[in-house]
Structures are given as C-alpha cells and as structure tokens.
Amino acid sequence: MGNSKFLKGVMLGAVAGGLLSLLDKSTRQEVGVTLRSSGTNLSKYSKNPKLLAETSKDVYEKLRTTADQVSRDIEFISEKVNEIKGMTPQVKEMIEETKETFEDSTEAYKETFSDHPSNELNSGEADSQPVASSFKGY
C-alpha cells in the first residue's frame, strides 16, 4: 500500500516538474519541436514498416560494432596493465640501483670537495671563507 503511494507521489512530482519547466519559453519551443519531430518519425515508420526494420538493423549493427571495438580496447588495456604489473619488479630494481648510484656519487662529490685543501696563499679573512663565497654575483 505504501508502495503505491510512493509511485503516485513520484508521478505527481514528475508531472508538476514538467509543467513548471514549461513556464520557460525556450523550453516550450524545444518541447514543441521535439514532439513534432517525433510525430513525423512515428507517421513515417507506421506507413513504411520496412524502413523501421532497416533503420533498426543499421542501429543494431552500429551498436554491435561499437561493442566489439570497446571489447577489443578493454582487452588491449588489460594486456598492457598485466605487462606493466610484470615489469614492476624490474623497474623497481632499476630505480633502486639508480638511487644507490646517485647516493654513492653524492658521497664521492662531498668527499672530493670537503677534502679540498684550504687556500694557503691568502691569509687573513679569505682563509675562513668558503670557495663559493668568493663567486658572489656569478
């Protein structure tokens, strides 16, 4: 019993919403054009059922072709995802090796530049300044 009240309420709401939307002039015009077009198509197909069958076959073929293409696309994407999953351990290993190489190189650069002998030719303030500070502005 509650179910029938619900459906009645939904239908009444839909009708009320439809009527309210017709207050807008452009909506009324669009609905009129759509109704006339639908009437013309209905009349055309009722007078020529073969045309309806041919049109339906064309639509069916287009849908079937599209569905086949989507199916092939999904299969292709699935294969590529599986390939990527298979490559992940190899890629991870390559990244780890690259990271270790950069870390080792960084340490080597630090050692090279930190073991650089101080400038003994200059005395005073120049000894306490790092080499980079002498290149201010460049």
Side-chain angles (χ1 to χ4, degrees):
M1 184 175 228
N3 200 13
S4 66
K5 286 183 181 180
F6 175 74
L7 290 177
K8 286 180 185 176
V10 168
M11 295 304 266
L12 232 142
V15 169
L19 290 174
L20 284 174
S21 68
L22 290 176
L23 293 175
D24 181 42
K25 183 177 182 178
S26 64
T27 303
R28 282 193 311 272
Q29 290 172 344
E30 187 177 329
V31 168
V33 168
T34 303
L35 286 175
R36 281 189 289 280
S37 170
S38 298
T40 302
N41 286 334
L42 186 60
S43 172
K44 178 173 67 173
Y45 290 127
S46 66
K47 290 177 183 174
N48 192 354
K50 285 185 180 182
L51 182 61
L52 176 62
E54 291 172 9
T55 305
S56 297
K57 285 179 185 177
D58 289 345
V59 169
Y60 171 76
E61 285 300 318
K62 287 178 183 177
L63 288 174
R64 194 178 64 122
T65 303
T66 303
D68 288 345
Q69 182 63 42
V70 168
S71 176
R72 286 192 303 266
D73 290 348
I74 289 172
E75 185 178 333
F76 175 79
I77 291 170
S78 178
E79 288 174 6
K80 292 301 175 187
V81 166
N82 287 334
E83 285 179 23
I84 290 171
K85 284 181 181 177
M87 289 175 51
T88 301
Q90 296 168 344
V91 172
K92 183 178 178 184
E93 184 179 321
M94 287 173 33
I95 290 172
E96 286 296 324
E97 289 174 359
T98 304
K99 179 183 170 190
E100 289 171 5
T101 302
F102 278 125
E103 287 174 349
D104 292 345
S105 296
T106 301
E107 289 302 317
Y109 292 141
K110 284 181 183 177
E111 289 174 10
T112 301
F113 289 112
S114 66
D115 290 338
H116 207 307
S118 64
N119 190 353
E120 295 175 359
L121 296 175
N122 294 334
S123 62
E125 294 178 23
D127 289 340
S128 64
Q129 291 182 350
V131 175
S133 67
S134 64
F135 296 107
K136 289 182 183 175
Y138 294 101

